[in-house]
């Protein structure tokens, strides 16, 4: 047990001073706390240590709000735990750590105050990893908080005012560091600063997307003006005399052909229109409104999609995973894998103790199979995640079992170095799963079947051998000089080099 070096004393309030570097920028409403102190006294002593510049006075390490509330309640003396004078190496860091810890446990610190404390610890030499471990923050969060505390720009001000969440700030920091589009960060921040109710990470992503499209559109307009391209009026997309050009052409080719361009809502790329030789039927007013709505939605849905993906990414980083959801998803996948494999259903049914029905494709047998799947699902979701993960890995490969009751299931091929060139690759992976994860040991007849099939195919991929052959030795490939396992009929080249020669 750690030794406690403090001593309890009652000190004059005038001799106890608020910490000069208190990370809490706002002590908040002290009315309730001062009322309690006035009625009951200060029940929780202040944590203080000797003032470095004023002899006989003290500095508050923990309890700045209680000290202010005691003064408001009219107390002249306060109980304190007096700590030894801090060392030069440890003192400032200990103060900030205490403020961060107690401030987050009692009246919560603001996000900006926490970030200020984090940056203070980094300035005093504590590394990012240690800060993260002490305050249960990811490395990414520590870096983001430190960066926002260092700057005094619009993002930091919006964050300090509570109008931007930390994940929204992180997205903007990422944009500032990685964007190769001129002024994208500055223009996006300008829009966000004007939002009185702040912005979530999804809103920030939407603003970034809209701003990016606006910048690209301006760039394209400038490029088209340089070519003296003609812009179509508002009615061109509805006009019976013009139709959209479907062929892929350069801007120069469009201009030379006399085409006109028109931008749809926020799209950064123009739609080109060609003059119709034969006029199309005129659109009705309702058809024009429908087309306008369609064009607008096509543009906006691209923006919404990016915002939605940003939300999904953030959710996977912040939302606590649901074990029941994971079990449900794995159980469904296991059932899906074996549903149409008779061998798979039979073996899986034996494994879990729920015998599957006979399936002949009739509606009645399909209904029985559905009931079996439901029963299997209820059983599986009660199992552990580790068990379900192992069972899913097994279910993904169990269809191979059907072929391994015949010698043809062990047949080797000269195309095993190709990705999809051999059934034996699947059998090899299945056996590896059984031996490595279930502790299976090969039967003597399985070994003989593997040896027999391997010896009948000298051009097989020897990396897929599961048993050594009696006459094989280690040799050097004449093509690439790598060491390989060879037998008496070896051609002198490894599988890769031999395949290249073919």
């Amino acid at each position: 047990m750690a030794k406690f070096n403090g001593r309890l004393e009652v000190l004059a309030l005038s001799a106890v001073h608020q910490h000069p570097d208190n990370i809490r920028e706002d002590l908040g409403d002290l009315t309730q706390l001062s009322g309690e102190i006035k009625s009951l006294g200060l029940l929780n002593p202040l944590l203080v240590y000797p003032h470095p510049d004023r002899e006989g006075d003290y500095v508050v390490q923990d309890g700045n709000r209680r000290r202010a509330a005691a003064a408001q309640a009219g107390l002249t003396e306060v109980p304190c735990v007096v700590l030894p004078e801090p060392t030069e190496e440890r003192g400032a860091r200990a103060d900030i750590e205490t403020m961060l810890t107690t401030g987050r446990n009692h009246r919560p610190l603001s996000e900006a105050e926490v970030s200020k404390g984090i940056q203070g610890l980094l300035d005093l030499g504590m590394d990012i990893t240690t800060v993260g471990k002490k305050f249960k923050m990811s490395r990414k969060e520590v870096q983001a908080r430190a960066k926002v505390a260092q700057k005094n720009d619009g993002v930091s001000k919006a964050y300090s005012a509570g109008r931007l969440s930390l994940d929204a700030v992180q997205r903007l920091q990422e944009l500032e560091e990685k964007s190769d589009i001129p002024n994208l960060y500055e223009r996006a921040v300008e829009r966000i600063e004007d939002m009185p109710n702040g912005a979530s990470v999804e809103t920030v992503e939407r603003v970034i997307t809209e701003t990016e499209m606006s910048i690209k559109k301006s760039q394209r307009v400038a490029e088209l003006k340089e070519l003296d391209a003609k812009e179509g009026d508002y009615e061109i997309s509805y006009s019976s005399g013009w139709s959209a050009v479907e062929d892929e052409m350069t801007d120069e080719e469009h201009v030379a052909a006399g085409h006109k361009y028109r931008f749809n809502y926020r799209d950064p790329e123009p739609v080109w229109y060609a003059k119709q030789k034969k006029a199309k039927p005129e659109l009705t007013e309702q058809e024009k409104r429908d087309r306008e709505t369609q064009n607008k939605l096509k543009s906006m849905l691209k923006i919404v999609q990016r915002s939605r993906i940003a939300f999904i990414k953030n959710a996977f980083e912040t939302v606590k995973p649901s074990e029941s959801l994971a079990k449900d998803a794995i159980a469904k996948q296991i059932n899906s894998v074996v549903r149409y494999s008779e061998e798979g259903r039979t073996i899986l049914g034996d494994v879990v103790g729920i015998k599957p029905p006979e399936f002949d494709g009739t509606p009645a047998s399909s209904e029985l199979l559905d009931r079996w799947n439901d029963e299997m699902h209820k059983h599986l979701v009660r199992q552990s995640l580790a068990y379900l993960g192992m069972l899913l890995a097994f279910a993904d490969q169990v269809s191979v079992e059907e072929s391994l009751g015949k010698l043809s299931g062990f047949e080797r091929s000269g195309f095993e170095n190709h990705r999809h060139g051999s059934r034996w690759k699947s059998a090899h992976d299945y056996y590896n799963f059984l031996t490595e994860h279930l502790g299976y040991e090969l039967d003597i007849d399985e070994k003989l079947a593997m040896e027999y099939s391997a010896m009948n195919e000298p051009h097989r991929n020897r990396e897929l051998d599961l048993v050594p052959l009696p006459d094989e030795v280690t040799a050097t490939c004449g093509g690439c000089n790598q060491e390989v396992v060879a037998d008496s009929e070896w051609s002198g080249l490894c599988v890769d080099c031999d395949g290249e020669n073919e």
Side-chain angles (χ1 to χ4, degrees):
M1 187 174 177
K3 185 178 178 181
F4 180 66
N5 295 322
R7 66 181 189 277
L8 184 63
E9 290 189 26
V10 176
L11 302 175
L13 185 61
S14 60
V16 178
H17 303 274
Q18 180 170 305
H19 199 290
D21 296 320
N22 184 16
I23 64 172
R24 193 187 289 281
E25 298 174 348
D26 179 12
L27 295 179
D29 186 0
L30 301 173
T31 304
Q32 182 178 349
L33 182 57
S34 64
E36 292 174 357
I37 291 174
K38 194 169 186 177
S39 301
L40 304 174
L42 187 58
L43 301 178
N44 191 5
L46 309 179
L47 208 59
V48 302
Y49 56 79
H51 198 292
D53 302 319
R54 303 176 66 166
E55 188 174 352
D57 284 7
Y58 299 86
V59 174
V60 176
Q61 185 186 66
D62 175 39
N64 288 288
R65 288 190 79 243
R66 297 196 300 281
R67 181 204 170 280
Q72 189 171 306
L75 271 61
T76 58
E77 295 181 329
V78 287
C80 299
V81 174
V82 181
L83 301 174
E85 189 171 345
T87 62
E88 181 177 344
E89 176 185 349
R90 176 68 185 152
R93 272 175 50 179
D95 288 355
I96 295 177
E97 287 181 46
T98 301
M99 292 174 199
L100 278 170
T101 303
T102 60
R104 296 169 90 197
N105 291 340
H106 299 158
R107 178 184 176 273
L109 295 166
S110 70
E111 294 294 337
E113 290 168 342
V114 173
S115 298
K116 178 181 177 182
I118 295 300
Q119 181 57 45
L121 291 176
L122 296 175
D123 288 341
L124 291 167
M126 186 178 286
D127 63 85
I128 291 174
T129 302
T130 303
V131 172
K133 287 181 178 178
K134 278 184 174 290
F135 301 105
K136 296 181 175 60
M137 297 179 184
S138 67
R139 185 179 186 87
K140 183 178 177 182
E141 180 179 349
V142 173
Q143 291 173 320
R145 287 187 179 279
K147 187 170 181 178
V148 80
Q150 290 171 342
K151 301 178 75 173
N152 191 34
D153 59 1
V155 173
S156 298
K157 290 175 181 177
Y159 175 65
S160 299
R163 293 190 290 107
L164 276 183
S165 60
L166 184 63
D167 50 5
V169 170
Q170 288 174 318
R171 178 64 184 96
L172 288 168
Q173 290 175 347
E174 179 185 343
L175 177 69
E176 184 181 20
E177 293 170 2
K178 298 180 180 180
S179 174
D180 56 358
I181 300 176
N183 301 318
L184 175 57
Y185 171 77
E186 291 78 9
R187 286 180 56 177
V189 169
E190 282 178 13
R191 286 189 58 188
I192 291 166
E193 284 179 319
D194 292 336
M195 295 181 176
N197 297 321
S200 64
V201 67
E202 300 85 53
T203 302
V204 166
E205 189 64 44
R206 183 172 183 138
V207 168
I208 291 171
T209 305
E210 290 176 353
T211 307
E212 178 182 330
M213 294 174 78
S214 175
I215 291 173
K216 288 182 176 179
K217 182 176 179 179
S218 297
Q219 292 172 342
R220 290 293 283 127
V221 168
E223 291 168 358
L224 295 173
K225 285 185 176 179
E226 282 285 321
L227 296 173
D228 200 26
K230 305 301 181 185
E231 182 177 7
D233 59 21
Y234 175 76
E235 290 286 332
I236 195 171
S237 58
Y238 315 127
S239 172
S240 61
W242 295 82
S243 62
V245 179
E246 301 294 338
D247 298 337
E248 288 192 14
M249 302 171 64
T250 65
D251 291 343
E252 290 80 2
E253 288 171 335
H254 279 298
V255 172
H259 298 161
K260 292 186 178 182
Y261 71 88
R262 180 80 188 171
F263 286 95
N264 284 334
Y265 201 54
R266 293 185 182 274
D267 281 356
E269 285 297 322
V271 177
W272 289 93
Y273 293 89
K275 187 76 173 175
Q276 284 285 91
K277 294 179 181 178
K278 184 178 179 181
K280 299 179 297 182
E282 289 286 350
L283 297 179
T284 65
E285 290 302 316
Q286 181 60 48
E287 288 172 331
K288 290 180 180 180
R289 286 193 293 270
D290 286 346
R291 185 167 294 185
E292 183 179 359
T293 300
Q294 291 170 11
N295 289 339
K296 182 176 180 179
L297 286 173
K298 286 176 184 177
S299 298
M300 293 309 300
L301 286 175
K302 295 175 185 176
I303 297 172
V304 174
Q305 184 181 50
R306 278 185 54 169
S307 177
R308 184 173 61 252
I309 291 171
F311 166 81
I312 293 170
K313 176 186 174 185
N314 181 63
F316 272 99
E317 293 175 351
T318 57
V319 173
K320 184 179 179 181
S322 166
E323 186 170 314
S324 62
L325 175 63
K327 288 183 176 182
D328 184 70
I330 296 175
K332 286 179 179 177
Q333 183 63 21
I334 291 171
N335 274 337
S336 174
V337 168
V338 301
R339 179 177 175 86
Y340 298 107
S341 166
E342 183 177 352
E343 190 77 17
R345 290 195 305 274
T346 302
I347 296 174
L348 191 65
D350 286 343
V351 169
V352 301
I354 303 176
K355 185 178 179 180
E358 294 290 334
F359 179 69
D360 57 12
T362 63
S365 65
S366 294
E367 184 177 343
L368 289 175
L369 185 57
D370 288 339
R371 290 179 185 174
W372 180 78
N373 277 331
D374 291 341
E375 191 176 352
M376 282 286 292
H377 187 86
K378 290 176 184 176
H379 172 81
L380 293 175
V381 294
R382 294 196 294 267
Q383 311 308 312
S384 70
L385 274 175
Y387 176 85
L388 289 175
M390 185 167 68
L391 196 61
L392 176 58
F394 171 72
D396 276 337
Q397 304 176 76
V398 70
S399 60
V400 177
E401 187 63 56
E402 187 172 357
S403 66
L404 296 179
K406 309 168 188 175
L407 182 59
S408 59
F410 295 83
E411 188 176 314
R412 304 296 297 273
S413 163
F415 298 97
E416 291 173 351
N417 56 320
H418 301 293
R419 186 174 181 183
H420 304 293
S422 170
R423 288 187 305 170
W424 176 248
K425 176 67 169 62
S426 299
H428 168 274
D429 294 345
Y430 178 61
Y431 270 117
N432 271 344
F433 173 83
L434 296 181
T435 55
E436 292 179 17
H437 299 288
L438 300 184
Y440 179 71
E441 293 185 6
L442 294 175
D443 183 87
I444 182 62
D445 289 314
E446 286 177 305
K447 292 180 180 179
L448 289 173
M450 292 177 188
E451 288 180 9
Y452 175 80
S453 298
M455 292 179 71
N456 281 330
E457 182 48 74
H459 297 291
R460 72 190 185 280
N461 182 353
R462 285 168 171 75
E463 291 180 1
L464 299 182
D465 289 354
L466 290 175
V467 293
L469 297 190
D471 65 338
E472 288 185 331
V473 296
T474 301
T476 302
C477 171
C480 61
N481 294 323
Q482 67 172 327
E483 287 194 350
V484 296
V485 177
D487 58 23
S488 56
E489 298 184 23
W490 184 49
S491 65
L493 298 173
C494 68
V495 173
D496 293 333
C497 292
D498 197 30
E500 289 176 3
N501 287 342
E502 291 177 4

